[in-house]
Amino acid sequence: MNEKFAILDRLLFVLKSELEFAIPVAAIKVLTEAIDQDNASTMSELMATLDEAIKKLKSASFCSPVPIAAGCDLFQRFVTRSSPDFTDFSAFKSHIITRGQQFVSKAGSCRSLISNLAVQFIQDNKVVLIHSFSRVVMSALQLALTLNKQFRVYVTESRPSSSGLQAVKTLQDSGVHATLIMDGAVGYIMDQVDLVLVGAEGVVENGGLINQVSRSLLLFSYVRLEPIKLL
């Protein structure tokens, strides 16, 4: 890998400057840039560069390992499956870079699509429970607000990251009635909840979803038969 390309510094910069980027999207963006700047001349050298870059990204201590791994593994699988389709290395490298850039550019529109599908579940005068901070959940709630839907939101603090604080501030700044609760208080307020919305940090091979969601939140949601939607 190009020694001048500090991939962890670049990832941190992207996350701070592109606030709308989810971590997996940011990971794919910097991996695409790493390949673009690499001076490899063969597919095997490029694969070695990719392996090294992914190893460094997965060691990042400033963000959750699950979304980083999700973005890296998705990109690596795409590169691996694309390689047999090309005999010319330059064409292969160009294809990888172009598709990586296209994925990053389309990520925002995918969030909008998911929000439009999810907003139907947010009804007037209902109470929504969310866990942590999820960009797609925020987008769905803000869309519901623009449609003049009236609702209240409980947000779990989500320790140890306390990312629920960011979610509450974002919602309150948008005009949503949002209340922060401790993670352990989920059972106390569940009687008031009509809908649980959580975002997915990663998708595993069998279609399962991974989220920061606590065990207690899922337990109360299923036991009390509250609708739970993973976006």
Side-chain angles (χ1 to χ4, degrees):
M1 187 167 64
N2 189 336
E3 295 182 358
K4 294 182 179 180
F5 187 77
I7 194 165
L8 287 178
D9 291 341
R10 179 57 181 165
L11 175 63
L12 185 59
F13 175 81
V14 170
L15 289 173
K16 287 184 175 180
S17 60
E18 302 287 350
L19 298 180
E20 290 301 310
F21 273 16
I23 294 176
V25 177
I28 290 175
K29 177 178 174 63
V30 297
L31 286 174
T32 302
E33 293 174 350
I35 289 178
D36 189 23
Q37 297 189 27
D38 190 63
N39 54 10
S41 57
T42 65
M43 289 188 182
S44 60
E45 290 177 354
L46 187 64
M47 291 299 188
T49 293
L50 182 60
D51 288 341
E52 181 185 354
I54 288 175
K55 184 178 180 180
K56 288 183 177 180
L57 287 181
K58 288 184 176 181
S59 70
S61 60
F62 48 81
C63 56
S64 173
V66 172
I68 280 286
C72 289
D73 293 347
L74 178 63
F75 189 75
Q76 187 174 42
R77 173 166 295 190
F78 163 68
V79 173
T80 302
R81 289 186 173 181
S82 297
S83 59
D85 298 332
F86 292 87
T87 55
D88 179 72
F89 173 73
S90 296
F92 170 66
K93 182 177 179 179
S94 177
H95 173 72
I96 295 301
I97 294 170
T98 299
R99 292 298 297 272
Q101 292 171 341
Q102 289 175 345
F103 178 90
V104 172
S105 65
K106 290 181 179 179
S109 61
C110 290
R111 184 180 300 153
S112 298
L113 177 60
I114 295 171
S115 298
N116 278 286
L117 293 172
V119 75
Q120 62 182 304
F121 300 110
I122 305 171
Q123 303 296 325
D124 276 324
N125 303 314
K126 299 297 184 180
V127 177
V128 181
L129 172 64
I130 68 172
H131 180 71
S132 184
F133 179 89
S134 165
R135 290 173 179 83
V136 68
V137 171
M138 293 295 106
S139 177
L141 292 172
Q142 290 168 340
L143 177 59
L145 188 66
T146 63
L147 296 175
N148 297 318
K149 294 189 176 185
Q150 303 296 319
F151 55 92
R152 294 187 296 120
V153 181
Y154 281 113
V155 185
T156 55
E157 188 177 7
S158 186
R159 286 179 179 263
S161 67
S162 296
S163 54
L165 294 169
Q166 180 185 358
V168 166
K169 185 179 186 306
T170 300
L171 292 171
Q172 290 178 343
D173 289 347
S174 299
V176 177
H177 187 285
T179 304
L180 184 72
I181 63 170
M182 296 179 63
D183 295 337
V186 170
Y188 180 76
I189 58 93
M190 189 57 77
D191 281 337
Q192 306 172 43
V193 173
D194 301 297
L195 173 68
V196 180
L197 285 179
V198 290
E201 288 203 345
V203 181
V204 295
E205 289 188 21
N206 64 1
L209 300 176
I210 300 174
N211 180 265
Q212 295 186 45
V213 65
S214 65
R215 184 179 301 173
S216 61
L217 179 59
L218 280 177
L219 176 63
F220 279 112
S221 180
Y222 283 120
V223 168
R224 298 197 58 81
L225 302 179
E226 307 297 349
I228 179 169
K229 306 298 180 183
L230 293 106
L231 310 183

